Short mmCIF file of all heavy atoms in Angstrom, two decimals:
data_model
loop_
_atom_site.label_atom_id
_atom_site.label_comp_id
_atom_site.label_asym_id
_atom_site.label_seq_id
_atom_site.Cartn_x
_atom_site.Cartn_y
_atom_site.Cartn_z
N ASP A 1 -21.17 -19.29 3.16
CA ASP A 1 -20.08 -19.18 4.10
C ASP A 1 -19.76 -20.46 4.84
O ASP A 1 -18.65 -20.65 5.34
CB ASP A 1 -20.27 -18.05 5.13
CG ASP A 1 -21.50 -18.33 6.03
OD1 ASP A 1 -22.37 -19.13 5.66
OD2 ASP A 1 -21.57 -17.65 7.06
N TYR A 2 -20.66 -21.44 4.82
CA TYR A 2 -20.44 -22.73 5.54
C TYR A 2 -19.71 -23.74 4.67
O TYR A 2 -19.33 -24.79 5.08
CB TYR A 2 -21.81 -23.34 5.87
CG TYR A 2 -22.72 -23.58 4.67
CD1 TYR A 2 -22.69 -24.74 4.00
CD2 TYR A 2 -23.67 -22.61 4.31
CE1 TYR A 2 -23.50 -25.00 2.89
CE2 TYR A 2 -24.47 -22.81 3.29
CZ TYR A 2 -24.43 -24.01 2.58
OH TYR A 2 -25.23 -24.18 1.48
N ASP A 3 -19.50 -23.43 3.34
CA ASP A 3 -18.81 -24.32 2.39
C ASP A 3 -17.61 -23.65 1.73
O ASP A 3 -17.81 -23.08 0.61
CB ASP A 3 -19.80 -24.88 1.42
CG ASP A 3 -19.30 -25.93 0.53
OD1 ASP A 3 -18.12 -26.31 0.67
OD2 ASP A 3 -20.11 -26.54 -0.21
N PRO A 4 -16.39 -23.70 2.36
CA PRO A 4 -15.26 -23.05 1.77
C PRO A 4 -14.92 -23.52 0.35
O PRO A 4 -14.41 -22.71 -0.46
CB PRO A 4 -14.10 -23.37 2.74
CG PRO A 4 -14.77 -23.72 3.99
CD PRO A 4 -16.15 -24.29 3.66
N ALA A 5 -15.17 -24.77 0.05
CA ALA A 5 -14.80 -25.28 -1.31
C ALA A 5 -15.71 -24.61 -2.31
O ALA A 5 -15.30 -24.22 -3.45
CB ALA A 5 -14.94 -26.79 -1.34
N PHE A 6 -17.02 -24.53 -2.03
CA PHE A 6 -17.96 -23.81 -2.95
C PHE A 6 -17.61 -22.36 -3.06
O PHE A 6 -17.80 -21.76 -4.12
CB PHE A 6 -19.38 -24.14 -2.53
CG PHE A 6 -20.35 -23.81 -3.61
CD1 PHE A 6 -20.37 -24.53 -4.79
CD2 PHE A 6 -21.29 -22.78 -3.41
CE1 PHE A 6 -21.27 -24.17 -5.84
CE2 PHE A 6 -22.19 -22.52 -4.42
CZ PHE A 6 -22.17 -23.17 -5.61
N GLN A 7 -17.29 -21.74 -1.97
CA GLN A 7 -16.88 -20.35 -1.98
C GLN A 7 -15.68 -20.17 -2.98
O GLN A 7 -15.69 -19.16 -3.74
CB GLN A 7 -16.42 -19.83 -0.64
CG GLN A 7 -17.57 -19.44 0.29
CD GLN A 7 -17.05 -18.88 1.58
OE1 GLN A 7 -16.06 -19.30 2.14
NE2 GLN A 7 -17.83 -17.90 2.09
N SER A 8 -14.78 -21.01 -2.94
CA SER A 8 -13.59 -20.95 -3.83
C SER A 8 -14.07 -21.08 -5.31
O SER A 8 -13.61 -20.41 -6.21
CB SER A 8 -12.62 -22.11 -3.53
OG SER A 8 -12.02 -21.89 -2.32
N SER A 9 -15.11 -21.98 -5.53
CA SER A 9 -15.62 -22.09 -6.90
C SER A 9 -16.34 -20.77 -7.30
O SER A 9 -16.23 -20.43 -8.46
CB SER A 9 -16.63 -23.27 -6.96
OG SER A 9 -15.99 -24.46 -6.60
N ILE A 10 -17.06 -20.23 -6.39
CA ILE A 10 -17.75 -18.94 -6.69
C ILE A 10 -16.70 -17.88 -7.09
O ILE A 10 -16.89 -17.07 -7.96
CB ILE A 10 -18.68 -18.53 -5.57
CG1 ILE A 10 -19.82 -19.45 -5.42
CG2 ILE A 10 -19.14 -17.07 -5.75
CD1 ILE A 10 -20.64 -19.27 -4.17
N ILE A 11 -15.61 -17.78 -6.29
CA ILE A 11 -14.58 -16.79 -6.50
C ILE A 11 -13.95 -17.06 -7.90
O ILE A 11 -13.75 -16.11 -8.70
CB ILE A 11 -13.54 -16.85 -5.38
CG1 ILE A 11 -14.15 -16.36 -4.04
CG2 ILE A 11 -12.30 -16.03 -5.79
CD1 ILE A 11 -13.26 -16.59 -2.87
N ALA A 12 -13.68 -18.28 -8.20
CA ALA A 12 -13.07 -18.63 -9.54
C ALA A 12 -14.03 -18.24 -10.65
O ALA A 12 -13.63 -17.68 -11.67
CB ALA A 12 -12.75 -20.12 -9.56
N ALA A 13 -15.32 -18.53 -10.46
CA ALA A 13 -16.29 -18.24 -11.55
C ALA A 13 -16.46 -16.71 -11.68
O ALA A 13 -16.58 -16.20 -12.82
CB ALA A 13 -17.68 -18.84 -11.18
N THR A 14 -16.43 -16.01 -10.58
CA THR A 14 -16.51 -14.57 -10.65
C THR A 14 -15.34 -13.97 -11.32
O THR A 14 -15.40 -13.03 -12.07
CB THR A 14 -16.74 -13.97 -9.22
OG1 THR A 14 -17.85 -14.56 -8.62
CG2 THR A 14 -16.90 -12.43 -9.21
N THR A 15 -14.16 -14.52 -11.03
CA THR A 15 -12.91 -14.07 -11.64
C THR A 15 -12.94 -14.29 -13.16
O THR A 15 -12.62 -13.35 -13.91
CB THR A 15 -11.67 -14.85 -11.07
OG1 THR A 15 -11.65 -14.61 -9.66
CG2 THR A 15 -10.40 -14.50 -11.75
N VAL A 16 -13.37 -15.42 -13.58
CA VAL A 16 -13.45 -15.75 -15.05
C VAL A 16 -14.54 -14.78 -15.69
O VAL A 16 -14.24 -14.27 -16.75
CB VAL A 16 -13.85 -17.18 -15.22
CG1 VAL A 16 -14.23 -17.45 -16.71
CG2 VAL A 16 -12.66 -18.04 -14.83
N ALA A 17 -15.66 -14.59 -14.99
CA ALA A 17 -16.69 -13.70 -15.58
C ALA A 17 -16.15 -12.24 -15.71
O ALA A 17 -16.42 -11.60 -16.69
CB ALA A 17 -17.95 -13.76 -14.74
N TYR A 18 -15.45 -11.73 -14.67
CA TYR A 18 -14.90 -10.43 -14.69
C TYR A 18 -13.90 -10.24 -15.82
O TYR A 18 -13.93 -9.29 -16.61
CB TYR A 18 -14.22 -10.06 -13.38
CG TYR A 18 -13.41 -8.85 -13.39
CD1 TYR A 18 -14.08 -7.56 -13.31
CD2 TYR A 18 -12.05 -8.83 -13.51
CE1 TYR A 18 -13.32 -6.40 -13.37
CE2 TYR A 18 -11.29 -7.68 -13.59
CZ TYR A 18 -11.91 -6.47 -13.49
OH TYR A 18 -11.20 -5.34 -13.48
N PHE A 19 -13.01 -11.24 -16.01
CA PHE A 19 -12.00 -11.20 -17.05
C PHE A 19 -12.72 -11.20 -18.41
O PHE A 19 -12.34 -10.47 -19.31
CB PHE A 19 -11.04 -12.41 -16.88
CG PHE A 19 -10.03 -12.50 -17.98
CD1 PHE A 19 -8.97 -11.62 -18.04
CD2 PHE A 19 -10.17 -13.40 -19.01
CE1 PHE A 19 -8.01 -11.74 -19.06
CE2 PHE A 19 -9.22 -13.52 -20.02
CZ PHE A 19 -8.16 -12.69 -20.07
N THR A 20 -13.65 -12.10 -18.60
CA THR A 20 -14.44 -12.19 -19.87
C THR A 20 -15.18 -10.95 -20.16
O THR A 20 -15.17 -10.46 -21.30
CB THR A 20 -15.37 -13.40 -19.77
OG1 THR A 20 -14.65 -14.59 -19.50
CG2 THR A 20 -16.12 -13.59 -21.11
N TRP A 21 -15.78 -10.33 -19.10
CA TRP A 21 -16.53 -9.08 -19.36
C TRP A 21 -15.52 -8.01 -19.86
O TRP A 21 -15.88 -7.27 -20.71
CB TRP A 21 -17.18 -8.61 -18.02
CG TRP A 21 -17.81 -7.25 -18.22
CD1 TRP A 21 -19.11 -7.03 -18.69
CD2 TRP A 21 -17.25 -6.02 -18.03
NE1 TRP A 21 -19.29 -5.67 -18.74
CE2 TRP A 21 -18.17 -5.01 -18.38
CE3 TRP A 21 -15.92 -5.60 -17.58
CZ2 TRP A 21 -17.90 -3.65 -18.26
CZ3 TRP A 21 -15.70 -4.24 -17.53
CH2 TRP A 21 -16.68 -3.29 -17.81
N GLY A 22 -14.36 -7.90 -19.21
CA GLY A 22 -13.39 -6.92 -19.63
C GLY A 22 -12.96 -7.09 -21.06
O GLY A 22 -12.87 -6.10 -21.84
N ILE A 23 -12.75 -8.31 -21.52
CA ILE A 23 -12.30 -8.54 -22.89
C ILE A 23 -13.42 -8.20 -23.84
O ILE A 23 -13.14 -7.46 -24.83
CB ILE A 23 -11.93 -10.03 -23.08
CG1 ILE A 23 -10.76 -10.42 -22.18
CG2 ILE A 23 -11.58 -10.34 -24.50
CD1 ILE A 23 -9.54 -9.60 -22.26
N ILE A 24 -14.66 -8.58 -23.56
CA ILE A 24 -15.77 -8.26 -24.34
C ILE A 24 -15.99 -6.77 -24.49
O ILE A 24 -16.21 -6.18 -25.53
CB ILE A 24 -17.09 -9.03 -24.00
CG1 ILE A 24 -16.87 -10.53 -24.20
CG2 ILE A 24 -18.24 -8.45 -24.68
CD1 ILE A 24 -17.95 -11.34 -23.50
N HIS A 25 -15.93 -6.05 -23.33
CA HIS A 25 -16.15 -4.63 -23.27
C HIS A 25 -15.17 -3.87 -24.14
O HIS A 25 -15.56 -3.02 -24.89
CB HIS A 25 -16.04 -4.20 -21.79
CG HIS A 25 -16.14 -2.69 -21.58
ND1 HIS A 25 -17.25 -2.01 -21.72
CD2 HIS A 25 -15.16 -1.80 -21.34
CE1 HIS A 25 -17.05 -0.74 -21.48
NE2 HIS A 25 -15.77 -0.54 -21.29
N HIS A 26 -13.92 -4.25 -24.05
CA HIS A 26 -12.88 -3.56 -24.81
C HIS A 26 -12.91 -3.92 -26.25
O HIS A 26 -12.59 -3.12 -27.08
CB HIS A 26 -11.50 -3.76 -24.16
CG HIS A 26 -11.33 -2.92 -22.93
ND1 HIS A 26 -11.04 -1.59 -22.97
CD2 HIS A 26 -11.49 -3.24 -21.66
CE1 HIS A 26 -10.96 -1.14 -21.78
NE2 HIS A 26 -11.21 -2.13 -20.94
N LYS A 27 -13.34 -5.12 -26.57
CA LYS A 27 -13.55 -5.56 -27.97
C LYS A 27 -14.64 -4.72 -28.60
O LYS A 27 -14.51 -4.30 -29.77
CB LYS A 27 -13.83 -7.03 -28.02
CG LYS A 27 -14.03 -7.61 -29.45
CD LYS A 27 -12.73 -7.70 -30.09
CE LYS A 27 -12.85 -8.41 -31.45
NZ LYS A 27 -11.74 -8.31 -32.24
N ILE A 28 -15.77 -4.49 -27.88
CA ILE A 28 -16.82 -3.67 -28.40
C ILE A 28 -16.35 -2.22 -28.66
O ILE A 28 -16.73 -1.66 -29.62
CB ILE A 28 -18.00 -3.66 -27.41
CG1 ILE A 28 -18.68 -5.12 -27.41
CG2 ILE A 28 -19.04 -2.62 -27.74
CD1 ILE A 28 -19.69 -5.24 -26.33
N HIS A 29 -15.51 -1.79 -27.85
CA HIS A 29 -15.02 -0.36 -27.91
C HIS A 29 -13.81 -0.25 -28.80
O HIS A 29 -13.22 0.86 -28.90
CB HIS A 29 -14.74 0.25 -26.57
CG HIS A 29 -16.04 0.51 -25.79
ND1 HIS A 29 -16.83 1.60 -26.06
CD2 HIS A 29 -16.60 -0.13 -24.80
CE1 HIS A 29 -17.84 1.53 -25.25
NE2 HIS A 29 -17.80 0.51 -24.48
N HIS A 30 -13.37 -1.35 -29.40
CA HIS A 30 -12.28 -1.41 -30.34
C HIS A 30 -10.94 -0.85 -29.83
O HIS A 30 -10.20 -0.14 -30.45
CB HIS A 30 -12.62 -0.56 -31.64
CG HIS A 30 -13.86 -0.99 -32.27
ND1 HIS A 30 -14.03 -2.21 -32.95
CD2 HIS A 30 -15.12 -0.33 -32.36
CE1 HIS A 30 -15.24 -2.33 -33.39
NE2 HIS A 30 -15.93 -1.20 -33.04
N ASP A 31 -10.75 -1.13 -28.54
CA ASP A 31 -9.42 -0.76 -27.88
C ASP A 31 -8.85 -1.87 -27.20
O ASP A 31 -8.05 -1.69 -26.23
CB ASP A 31 -9.67 0.45 -27.00
CG ASP A 31 -10.52 0.27 -25.80
OD1 ASP A 31 -11.21 -0.76 -25.79
OD2 ASP A 31 -10.66 1.13 -24.99
N LEU A 32 -9.11 -3.12 -27.56
CA LEU A 32 -8.53 -4.32 -26.95
C LEU A 32 -7.16 -4.54 -27.47
O LEU A 32 -6.90 -4.43 -28.66
CB LEU A 32 -9.45 -5.54 -27.32
CG LEU A 32 -8.91 -6.86 -26.66
CD1 LEU A 32 -9.07 -6.75 -25.09
CD2 LEU A 32 -9.82 -7.95 -27.18
N GLY A 33 -6.27 -4.72 -26.52
CA GLY A 33 -4.80 -4.95 -26.79
C GLY A 33 -4.26 -5.89 -25.80
O GLY A 33 -4.84 -6.21 -24.78
N VAL A 34 -3.01 -6.26 -26.01
CA VAL A 34 -2.33 -7.20 -25.12
C VAL A 34 -2.17 -6.58 -23.69
O VAL A 34 -2.39 -7.21 -22.69
CB VAL A 34 -0.95 -7.56 -25.71
CG1 VAL A 34 -0.17 -8.42 -24.66
CG2 VAL A 34 -1.09 -8.29 -27.01
N ARG A 35 -1.90 -5.28 -23.65
CA ARG A 35 -1.75 -4.66 -22.28
C ARG A 35 -3.09 -4.68 -21.51
O ARG A 35 -3.03 -4.86 -20.33
CB ARG A 35 -1.30 -3.20 -22.48
CG ARG A 35 0.11 -3.09 -23.02
CD ARG A 35 0.59 -1.68 -23.08
NE ARG A 35 0.79 -1.17 -21.75
CZ ARG A 35 1.07 0.04 -21.46
NH1 ARG A 35 1.15 0.95 -22.42
NH2 ARG A 35 1.29 0.47 -20.23
N ILE A 36 -4.20 -4.43 -22.21
CA ILE A 36 -5.51 -4.51 -21.52
C ILE A 36 -5.82 -5.91 -21.07
O ILE A 36 -6.28 -6.11 -19.96
CB ILE A 36 -6.60 -3.94 -22.45
CG1 ILE A 36 -6.38 -2.38 -22.53
CG2 ILE A 36 -8.02 -4.24 -21.89
CD1 ILE A 36 -7.37 -1.71 -23.51
N ILE A 37 -5.51 -6.87 -21.95
CA ILE A 37 -5.75 -8.28 -21.58
C ILE A 37 -4.99 -8.64 -20.33
O ILE A 37 -5.42 -9.27 -19.38
CB ILE A 37 -5.45 -9.24 -22.71
CG1 ILE A 37 -6.46 -9.04 -23.85
CG2 ILE A 37 -5.44 -10.67 -22.25
CD1 ILE A 37 -6.12 -9.71 -25.12
N LEU A 38 -3.68 -8.31 -20.30
CA LEU A 38 -2.75 -8.58 -19.16
C LEU A 38 -3.23 -7.82 -17.90
O LEU A 38 -3.14 -8.38 -16.82
CB LEU A 38 -1.36 -8.21 -19.52
CG LEU A 38 -0.69 -9.12 -20.59
CD1 LEU A 38 0.71 -8.60 -20.91
CD2 LEU A 38 -0.65 -10.55 -20.16
N GLU A 39 -3.75 -6.61 -18.10
CA GLU A 39 -4.23 -5.89 -16.93
C GLU A 39 -5.46 -6.57 -16.33
O GLU A 39 -5.50 -6.82 -15.13
CB GLU A 39 -4.61 -4.43 -17.33
CG GLU A 39 -5.20 -3.62 -16.26
CD GLU A 39 -5.60 -2.29 -16.75
OE1 GLU A 39 -5.12 -1.77 -17.81
OE2 GLU A 39 -6.33 -1.63 -15.98
#
């Protein structure tokens, strides 16, 4: 909490990880599509 720049980096990394997890999860379940990616 004392380093706002690093907090922003953590938020960006968490965002990328969440997005990547979603793509991998739906790819495994064979229901990945453009709508899911955009969501």
